[in-house]
Amino acid sequence: MTTTPDIWEPLEPALSVRQVLTLERVLAGEPEVVAGASHLDRPVRWVHVAEAADVGVMLSGGEMVLTTGVLLAGDEEKQAEYVRSLHRADAAAVVLGLGRAFPAAPAVMRRAAERCGLPMVVLHRPFPFAELTEEVQSRLVRRKFAAVSLSEAVRTELTALITAGAPLQRLLDEVARHSACPVVVTNLAHRVLGTAGERPAVDDVLRDWERIARQAGGTEGDGWIRAELGGRGERWGRIVLCGYRGDTATGRLLADRAAEALVLHRMLGGGAACSWEEQSAQSLLTDLVSGVVPARQLLPRARAAGLPVNRRTFVPLVVRDGDTPRLDRLLRLLGLPGLVAELADGATAVLLSLPRDQDAGALAAHFAARLRTESGRARTVVAAADPRGVWDDVPAGLREARHVADAVADSAAALDLPPVVRLRDVHLRGLIRLLRDDPHVQSFAERELDGLLCETEEDLLSVLRTYLATGRNKSRTAQLHHVSRPALYRRLESIQVRLGVDLDDFEQAASVHIALLAHDAQQQ
C-alpha cells in the first residue's frame, strides 16, 4: 500500500551532490571534494557509470558520473576534455574512484573541473559503484513517485472542491496547504485577484508586490514558481507559488495542477476573470468595514489589488440597490481609481482613491449624477462620508457611509435628498438608526405605535409614514397614495383614534414620528 507525502510538508529538494556525499554507502569510500566545492548544492537527477572519453554525448544534464578513469590514464588532453564534455552536458558532478589508473587526483582534471565549476570528488577507498547507483536511483525513484502522487492528490482534491461548488478562496487555501507557502493569483496586469497562506507571510509578499510581480513575470528562481491561466490560446492571469521550499520540479507540478483547477473553476462557473476581481474587492472592503482586521494590515492587500494608496484622498461611498458590474464599469468610464464590492442587504461599497489636488466632493457628485443617468433611477441613494486623507481613517468612513445609506433606505422616495447624501443630511433619522437596538427605544416605539402594529393596519401605517415624512403635507400624501383628500382625511382620523393622539399637535406628531423612525430602523 502506498501513501502520499504529508500534505502539510513540502517535499524536500531533490538530492544534491552534497547530500549524496553524506550517504552511508558513499562515506565508506572516504570521499574528498577536490574541485568545485562551491557547487555542491547542484541537484542530482541520475547516477551514471561511464568510462568512455566522450561521455558527454550520453548525458542529458543533472547526472552524477562515476568513473575509474581507466581509459584516461596517461593522456592529459583526454583527461581535460573528459571534464569539459561533462561541463558541456551540464553534469551535476564527477566521482573518480582512485586505484590502478589514478592513485591520486590528477591535477589536470582537478584544474579543468575548478575552471568549469564542476564538482569533482575522489574516493580514497575501493567502492562498488553499483551500490551507490542503487542507493541514489532508489531514492530518486521514490521521490519521483511521491511527487506524482502528490500531484494526483492535489488534482483529485481540487476537482472535488470544484464539483461541490467551492469558491475561489477555498481552492487557493487548499493549494497553499499543499505547497506550504503563500499563493497569489493575478491578472495579466499583476493586479492581485486572490491570495492564500499564512497571513503574515502573505502580507510580506504583498508589501513588496511590485518587485515580486516583476520577478514572477520573469525567470523562476528562489522558489517563485508560476503557471499561466487561460485557454483556447488566450491567457488571462497566472498563479504564483511565492517562496516554495521544495524542489522546483515538484513546485511546477503543484502550480500546474492548481492552474488546471482554476481554469476549470472559471469555466464551470460561467464567469470571467473580473468576477475574481469583484471577490477580491469584496473581501478587502468587507474587512475594512468590519474593523476586525486593522486598516494598516490591509494596506498591502489594497496596494496589490491595484488601488493607489500613496498621497491620496479616499472617498468612502455606499450605493443602495447598486449593480456592482455597472458601478465598476462607471468608475473605469470616468477614469476614477477605486474598488467596488457588494456588502449586504442591497448595499454596495465604493472606495474612491483620488489625487489630493482634485475636488473630492465634485467628483463624488459627478459620479452620483452619472450613476442615476446610467441606471435610469432618479432616486438612487449614494451615501458618502467626508473624504479621508489617511488610510487608517477609511474603515470609519465606510461605516459612516453605510450608516447614512441605511438611514434613508426606506424613505428616499419621500425625502428631498441631495445627489450625494451625507451624515448632516439624515438628521434625526440618522440618530434613531444608531439607537435602534437600545431596549428603551424599542419599548418606546412599541408603546407609541401599539394601535397600528398588527398586520391588518399596515396600510394605515404606510399612510402615517408618508404623512410624517412629507412634513404633514396632506395634498402630497394623498397624491403619493393615489387617494382623494376626503379619503385621506378619513384614514388620518382612523390613525389618530387608534393611537390616541392629535397629529395636528406638533409635540404629539413628533413623538409618533420618532417612534415610527425607530420601528422602521428595527425592521432593517
Side-chain angles (χ1 to χ4, degrees), residues 78-384:
K78 280 188 177 181
Q79 295 169 20
E81 177 55 28
Y82 183 85
V83 172
R84 290 194 293 267
S85 69
L86 293 180
H87 171 64
R88 289 193 295 269
D90 199 23
V94 58
V95 178
L96 176 65
L98 300 182
R100 285 180 300 174
F102 292 102
V108 171
M109 292 182 69
R110 189 171 64 246
R111 287 194 298 270
E114 193 65 51
R115 284 195 298 271
C116 293
L118 176 71
M120 180 176 176
V121 181
V122 296
L123 301 175
H124 289 280
R125 297 186 61 181
F127 184 87
F129 284 169
E131 290 187 11
L132 174 58
T133 302
E134 179 185 7
E135 174 77 11
V136 175
Q137 310 299 48
S138 64
R139 287 174 178 261
L140 291 175
V141 169
R142 286 198 300 269
R143 288 192 54 77
K144 182 66 174 177
F145 176 75
V148 172
S149 298
L150 176 61
S151 172
E152 289 307 308
V154 172
R155 173 184 279 149
T156 300
E157 292 175 18
L158 293 181
T159 301
L161 289 173
I162 294 171
T163 303
L168 171 66
Q169 188 59 53
R170 183 68 184 85
L171 269 65
L172 296 183
D173 289 340
E174 193 68 16
V175 175
R177 190 166 70 93
H178 281 288
S179 61
C181 69
V183 175
V184 177
V185 174
T186 75
N187 61 15
L188 295 181
H190 303 303
R191 179 175 176 178
V192 174
L193 307 181
T195 63
E198 294 292 333
R199 181 48 54 189
V202 172
D203 287 344
D204 286 343
V205 169
L206 297 184
R207 194 169 291 113
D208 197 20
W209 180 247
E210 290 185 6
R211 179 187 64 80
I212 290 175
R214 290 193 297 269
Q215 178 178 343
T219 303
E220 292 179 352
D222 297 329
W224 303 104
I225 300 174
R226 72 184 186 280
E228 302 298 326
L229 304 177
R232 299 178 181 177
E234 179 185 4
R235 292 188 304 115
W236 43 267
R238 60 174 56 91
I239 182 170
V240 185
L241 307 186
C242 304
Y244 179 72
R245 297 193 303 272
D247 68 280
T248 301
T250 303
R252 287 199 186 104
L253 279 175
L254 285 172
D256 288 343
R257 295 297 83 78
E260 291 173 2
L262 295 184
V263 171
L264 180 61
H265 182 272
R266 177 190 174 188
M267 291 174 59
L268 294 181
C274 65
S275 66
W276 290 2
E277 294 178 355
E278 293 168 8
Q279 292 178 38
S280 175
Q282 181 174 8
S283 174
L284 174 60
L285 292 185
T286 299
D287 285 347
L288 278 170
V289 171
S290 69
V292 174
V293 182
R296 182 58 51 182
Q297 294 183 21
L298 297 173
L299 187 59
R301 286 172 58 187
R303 184 183 291 112
L307 185 73
V309 295
N310 296 329
R311 296 182 297 278
R312 309 291 286 191
T313 296
F314 302 101
V315 183
L317 304 173
V318 170
V319 180
R320 270 291 174 184
D321 301 320
D323 182 303
T324 301
R326 177 185 286 118
L327 292 172
D328 205 26
R329 287 194 299 270
L330 182 57
L331 287 184
R332 292 196 295 270
L333 178 64
L334 298 178
L336 297 175
L339 297 176
V340 179
E342 184 176 349
L343 298 178
D345 302 326
T348 303
V350 180
L351 179 61
L352 302 181
S353 175
L354 307 175
R356 289 183 174 174
D357 59 352
Q358 292 187 348
D359 188 335
L363 286 175
H366 181 55
F367 170 79
R370 286 295 299 269
L371 175 60
R372 289 189 174 93
T373 301
E374 294 283 334
S375 65
R377 300 174 183 173
R379 284 293 180 174
T380 297
V381 174
V382 178

